[in-house]
């Protein structure tokens, strides 16, 4: 219980998913932000949902926007790490693009809460979230580079450069509208991206092998 | 000034875009909802932005969610009307799909405020917005039907059925991240949809002709 906070006893038994108080706070906040709305959720409501005192919450996060920032970071940490690991690997750009899209769709559709729904919050355009925006722009840059290289290899213009990143993130809208994104989305979206970049031939197996070789990527920094 | 409301004089000169008080209220609310957030905006703030009294605002809209509902309706009214007019027209499904995507991308990227950013609000999942959700589902159904028919005509499976509607709506995320969506998006997205459904050959000119023949579609119900 060393991480529990300033020594006060809990009000109740733990009721959240997560192995640390910090993880429990993030899980509760993620649920409330995505189901009630960010502006509609107070740090008091988050503390209540965890079953801790508000003072204990402030031991872990200085303010509500610090919680949001930590949650948003989780949504891009995994794919950014993967994209960096793929640089210098021998596979063709299209294989890397397929692998990145597959990994990213998978984590967006299987994350416990649909945190990407928070990307459109006006609050994210403030200076407070500049570091997160840069991180997401870094991910977008990896997608655009791999897309441009894939288009070039297929002998076509790269006017579609911005689309694969956007198509992957449609998982967020699908989850928001339908509750879940079907498992087949994990293949349907990367396959559609291959068509968009003009790539012919199977890449799924090579992308799976690349992902297996690069190892597990921990996308939970909590 | 017959539409102005319950007869009180305005506090100030009109300061909003729009030819009626109702349109001015919608324009002010659209700006505040998309830049400050829906939960962060009061009807008082909307009235202040228009330069009218709050009581005058309530003459036009009973509550804040009525304003949101009217704004959301604008985002789908045009493409739904177009999709309905296209039924029974002789063009191939792929041509209709291209025309619908072109029209929809155009209206999403050129609308004064990026109202689609409000689609992910948790409030939209409540009963209050069931009618709007049905209307958007109707539009989604048109996209899925035209996509399935286009795939069938190209001799491929329709596993990509859900993607064209989603790809069109990425204009919303692009605007949210970058401020604007580039003009070429109006062609890049429909062209990418043609690749996704496996359609070969030029359809842009036939889609333009179809849009011209079906006439102007008024997407501003205010």
């Amino acid at each position: 219980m060393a991480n529990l906070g300033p020594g006060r006893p809990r009000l109740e038994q733990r009721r959240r998913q997560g192995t640390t108080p910090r993880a429990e706070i993030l899980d509760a906040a993620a649920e409330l932000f995505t189901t009630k709305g960010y502006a509609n959720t107070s740090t008091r409501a988050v503390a209540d949902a965890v079953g801790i005192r508000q003072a204990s919450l402030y031991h872990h996060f200085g303010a509500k926007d610090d919680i949001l920032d930590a949650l948003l970071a989780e949504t891009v940490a995994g794919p950014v790490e993967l994209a960096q690991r793929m640089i210098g690997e021998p596979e063709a750009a299209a294989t890397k693009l397929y692998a990145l899209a597959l990994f990213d769709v998978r984590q967006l559709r299987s994350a416990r809460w649909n945190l990407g729904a928070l990307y459109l919050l006006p609050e994210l355009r403030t200076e407070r979230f500049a570091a997160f925006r840069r991180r997401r722009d870094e991910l977008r840059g990896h997608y655009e580079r791999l897309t441009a290289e894939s288009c070039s290899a297929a002998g076509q213009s790269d006017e579609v450069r911005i689309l694969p990143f956007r198509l992957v993130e449609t998982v967020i809208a699908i989850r928001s509208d339908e509750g879940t994104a079907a498992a087949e989305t994990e293949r349907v979206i990367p396959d559609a991206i291959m068509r968009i970049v003009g790539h012919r031939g199977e890449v799924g197996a090579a992308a799976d092998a690349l992902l297996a070789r690069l190892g597990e990527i921990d996308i939970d920094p909590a």
Side-chain angles (χ1 to χ4, degrees), chain A:
Chain A
M1 305 288 272
N3 287 328
L4 193 63
R8 284 177 176 276
R10 278 176 169 264
L11 299 179
E12 308 177 38
Q13 286 297 304
R14 284 187 182 172
R15 53 171 86 144
R16 303 299 316 184
Q17 184 160 312
T19 53
T20 64
R22 180 184 157 87
E24 290 178 286
I25 292 166
L26 289 172
D27 181 60
E31 175 170 15
L32 291 167
F33 292 171
T34 55
T35 59
K36 307 288 180 191
Y38 179 67
N40 294 324
T41 300
S42 63
T43 53
R44 171 64 187 267
V46 175
D48 286 351
V50 178
I52 60 172
R53 294 176 200 277
Q54 201 172 2
S56 303
L57 183 147
Y58 283 118
H59 181 75
H60 297 282
F61 294 97
K64 192 170 76 163
D65 55 12
D66 296 325
I67 305 177
L68 177 59
D69 197 39
L71 289 170
L72 292 169
E74 286 182 23
T75 67
V76 295
V80 166
E81 171 69 24
L82 174 63
Q84 287 169 343
R85 286 192 203 177
M86 288 195 302
I87 293 173
E89 293 296 319
E91 276 80 359
T95 304
K96 294 178 180 177
L97 179 60
Y98 189 103
L100 179 58
L102 170 62
F103 176 89
D104 207 359
V105 169
R106 185 175 285 158
Q107 64 108 8
L108 288 171
R109 71 169 282 273
S110 59
R112 189 159 138 84
W113 306 106
N114 190 22
L115 290 167
L118 304 171
Y119 289 164
L120 296 181
L121 285 176
E123 287 86 345
L124 260 65
R125 281 172 236 139
T126 62
E127 182 56 29
R128 171 65 186 86
F129 295 98
F132 167 71
R133 290 200 306 275
R134 278 195 299 274
R135 193 80 170 149
R136 186 156 163 263
D137 284 346
E138 186 186 340
L139 177 58
R140 183 158 53 139
H142 285 299
Y143 272 101
E144 294 192 4
R145 176 179 48 79
L146 291 172
T147 302
E149 290 174 18
S150 301
C151 288
S152 174
Q156 70 167 52
S157 98
D158 70 351
E159 62 172 14
V160 297
R161 196 176 51 252
I162 65 167
L163 296 185
F165 172 73
R166 299 296 174 183
L167 195 54
V168 164
E169 286 198 345
T170 64
V171 171
I172 296 160
I174 295 169
R175 285 188 69 174
S176 179
D177 287 334
E178 304 182 35
T180 57
E184 54 260 39
T185 317
E186 292 184 8
R187 295 290 168 178
V188 169
I189 288 179
D191 285 345
I193 288 173
M194 292 299 102
R195 290 186 193 177
I196 288 174
V197 301
H199 184 86
R200 285 167 204 82
E202 232 287 306
V203 287
D208 290 345
L210 175 60
L211 285 177
R213 198 175 74 235
L214 293 182
E216 284 293 303
I217 289 168
D218 183 6
I219 60 170
D220 181 7

